[in-house]
């Protein structure tokens, strides 16, 4: 069970006062009656997912892993952040097993795009293009370029076999391409939005290709559903209440802190989940993320003594996936023999305790502690589900729709008009 500890938030919350409201919101999620209710498919997806499709996802993942040096994951926002977060969290940043995963379609930078295309000239590669709408400019342009390269390298017929598409079941430009060229197709259900889609083929296919145990990941999500989809003040709802209280009492910024570089992309996923869900009607917490101790040597000064705008949510992993012991050195010129025989986890945890005391007691920064026992595929599935439930609760407590993103359309419309896209001349 994920633990949420509110002992370091520098205030007492009357959780009882929230019980009725939380219960109403919980029922509105379960009965699909709240704002954005058409996009609640994720809430029970760990149970309702298409079992036949899961078999195809596993087979496609195996096929990719066995036949290609690189998998190009072509998607943006919710169409790639979950997969990337999971792959980096579970496989680490220097993984030598399985195909190399390259993320594409998440930028319009000509430099990045050209660098990737040049790199792929000398590699065998498959593409997983992921877009619910099929019309997202970044992804569509990148896919056109990558497909063109692939077809030039291996011919149209073989290229079609190396392209896997994840898109809406019934509509969209990508669906038309699948039908015309016969790409293997996976579904992002119409009642699940991108940032809530990590348990669908959107997250699972790249993860399967990367060798991750997606059965365990889904089992974790299901455990999450049972624990955090339960009525009452479950830990996800408690976290939602704490966020709401801290926001109301003068903290507009939440910083997600981890002590694991492999979780940087989880922070990106979390930022999108909460930022895009909650930042509406000129309300909501600004989500930020930092990795300690790395960022203690950059942002640490601001957190300790800068403007008092933020609280920290520290994600603690009780047992690290791996550990090392600090060796003896006969000369001890670096003066580290006092740590001889200690594990690095021991040192990391002491850094954690010292930082908590510094930030909370001296810096007056509220700290919410979230503890996950183990960061494996199952634990991560549970954690991601936990955050999704907490996010829905937070948004409804703030009276905003957790599942739309009307603000994102503004830049798109301007860009389309400036690019001369038909239909966007005004
Ligand atoms: O969470 C979301 O809904 C967004 O981030 C989308 O996933 C993102 O904009 C990509 O959209 P699409 O999958 O339609 O290309």
């Amino acid at each position: 069970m994920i633990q949420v500890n509110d002992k370091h938030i520098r205030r007492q919350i009357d959780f009882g006062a929230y019980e009725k409201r939380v219960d109403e919101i919980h029922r509105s999620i379960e009965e699909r009656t709240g704002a954005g209710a058409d996009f609640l498919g994720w809430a029970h997806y760990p149970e309702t997912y298409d079992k036949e499709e899961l078999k195809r996802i596993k087979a496609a993942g195996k096929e990719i892993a066995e036949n290609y040096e690189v998998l190009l994951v072509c998607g943006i926002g919710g169409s790639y952040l979950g997969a990337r977060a999971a792959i980096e969290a579970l496989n680490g940043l220097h993984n030598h097993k399985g195909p190399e995963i390259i993320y594409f379609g998440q930028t319009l930078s000509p430099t990045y795009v050209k660098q990737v295309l040049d790199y792929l000239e000398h590699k065998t590669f498959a593409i997983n293009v992921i877009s619910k709408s099929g019309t997202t400019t970044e992804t569509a342009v990148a896919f056109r370029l990558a497909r063109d390269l692939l077809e030039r390298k291996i011919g149209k017929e073989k290229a079609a076999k190396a392209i896997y598409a994840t898109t809406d079941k019934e509509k969209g430009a990508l669906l038309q391409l699948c039908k015309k060229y016969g790409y293997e197709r996976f579904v992002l259900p119409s009642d699940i939005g991108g940032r809530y889609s990590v348990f669908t083929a959107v997250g699972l296919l790249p993860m399967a290709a990367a060798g991750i145990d997606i059965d365990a990941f889904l089992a974790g999500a299901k455990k999450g559903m049972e624990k955090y989809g339960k009525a009452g003040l479950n830990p996800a709802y408690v976290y939602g209440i704490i966020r709401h209280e801290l926001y109301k009492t003068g903290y507009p910024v939440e910083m997600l802190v981890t002590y694991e570089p492999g979780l940087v992309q989880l922070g990106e996923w979390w930022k999108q989940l909460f930022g895009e869900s909650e930042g509406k009607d000129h309300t909501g917490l600004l989500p930020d993320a930092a990795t300690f101790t790395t960022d203690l040597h950059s942002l640490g000064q601001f957190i300790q003594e800068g403007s008092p705008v933020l609280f920290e949510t520290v994600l603690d992993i009780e047992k690290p996936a791996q550990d090392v012991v600090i060796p003896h050195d006969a000369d001890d010129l670096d003066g580290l023999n006092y740590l001889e025989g200690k594990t690095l986890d021991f040192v990391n945890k002491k850094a954690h305790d010292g930082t908590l005391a510094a930030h909370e007691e001296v810096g007056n920064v509220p700290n919410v502690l979230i503890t996950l026992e183990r960061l494996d595929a199952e634990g991560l599935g549970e954690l991601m589900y936990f955050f999704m439930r907490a996010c829905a609760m937070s948004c409804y407590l703030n009276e905003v729709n957790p599942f739309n993103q009307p603000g994102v359309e503004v830049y798109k419309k301007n860009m389309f008009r400036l690019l001369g896209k038909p239909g966007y001349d005004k």
Side-chain angles (χ1 to χ4, degrees), residues 74-81 130-140 166-167 188 192-197 202 272-273 276 403-405 408-409 411-412:
C74 199
I76 194 167
S79 285
Y80 95 106
L81 282 167
I130 308 167
S131 179
K132 186 170 183 183
S133 62
T135 53
T136 301
T137 313
E138 291 87 340
T139 305
T166 307
T167 191
L188 171 48
I192 300 181
R195 59 190 178 274
Y196 293 83
S197 71
V202 171
Q272 188 208 358
L273 177 66
E276 206 165 62
F403 309 118
N404 63 359
Q405 53 282 328
V408 182
E409 300 310 315
Y411 104 87
K412 286 192 199 164

Side-chain angles (χ1 to χ4, degrees), residues 56-66 99 164 186 205 208-211:
R56 283 201 302 117
I57 291 173
K58 287 184 196 167
K62 192 161 174 276
E63 177 92 12
I64 293 167
E66 283 173 358
Y164 301 83
F186 299 92
L205 179 53

